[in-house]
């Protein structure tokens, strides 16, 4: 049975790692998310993720918390898409909710699935080139 938890060790917390992610990472957009990811060779083989719901679009903290919880849950259940065999990569991923609407969980889950699939395909393409 795959591990479907989201422990603290899988959350992107380091200020240096966040800075590196936004300076050198690749970005994309899948409604309602803007996503940024950065992968580099590393023996640790870890994936860390950051979730953000800007105050600019959702002034009320309860709405931001709701959207952040929905995003975390969608990621937690879909993170198996990023499972990789024999790849020593450190992957950092930021999911930034960029819609002014509070969307239902199904829309969020579908968008997160598309994002993880796109990142996984790009990592596989890079691995095939090397």
């Amino acid at each position: 049975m795959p591990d479907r938890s989201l422990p603290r060790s899988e959350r992107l917390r380091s200020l240096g790692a966040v800075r590196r992610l936004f300076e050198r990472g690749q970005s994309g957009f899948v409604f309602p998310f803007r996503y940024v990811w950065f992968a580099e060779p590393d023996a640790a083989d870890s994936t860390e993720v950051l979730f953000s719901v800007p105050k600019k679009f959702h002034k009320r903290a309860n709405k931001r918390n709701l959207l952040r919880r929905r995003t975390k849950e969608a990621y937690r259940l879909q993170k198996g898409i990023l499972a990789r065999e024999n790849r020593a990569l450190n992957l950092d991923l930021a999911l930034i909710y960029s819609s002014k609407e509070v969307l239902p969980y199904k829309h969020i889950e579908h968008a997160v699935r598309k994002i993880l699939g796109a990142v996984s395909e790009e990592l596989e393409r890079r691995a095939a080139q090397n």
Side-chain angles (χ1 to χ4, degrees), residues 71-87:
T71 306
K72 283 180 183 179
E73 182 69 4
Y75 173 79
R76 184 183 72 82
L77 294 174
Q78 302 297 324
K79 70 180 183 176
I81 294 171
L82 292 175
R84 18 186 217 283
E85 299 81 24
N86 300 325
R87 273 195 252 163

Side-chain angles (χ1 to χ4, degrees), residues 2-66:
D3 181 27
R4 289 190 164 178
S5 64
L6 187 60
R8 186 173 179 164
S9 62
E10 291 183 16
R11 305 227 180 118
L12 189 61
R13 303 180 315 275
S14 165
L15 182 62
V18 172
R19 188 172 290 137
R20 179 187 65 214
L21 171 67
F22 285 102
E23 286 176 356
R24 297 191 290 173
Q26 295 181 334
S27 65
F29 184 82
V30 173
F31 182 80
F33 291 102
R34 177 176 171 260
Y35 64 97
V36 181
W37 64 279
F38 178 71
E40 66 180 352
D42 191 3
D45 189 34
S46 66
T47 301
E48 294 183 348
V49 65
L50 170 117
F51 304 97
S52 177
V53 180
K55 194 173 185 179
K56 177 180 179 180
F57 297 133
H58 299 282
K59 303 295 185 201
R60 304 286 303 224
N62 61 343
K63 287 185 181 179
R64 290 194 307 272
N65 291 339
L66 172 71

Side-chain angles (χ1 to χ4, degrees), residues 98-118:
S98 300
S99 174
K100 293 183 180 183
E101 304 169 14
V102 177
L103 295 175
Y105 174 75
K106 287 289 184 187
H107 286 98
I108 292 173
E109 180 184 32
H110 181 67
V112 169
R113 186 180 302 126
K114 284 178 70 173
I115 291 168
L116 296 180

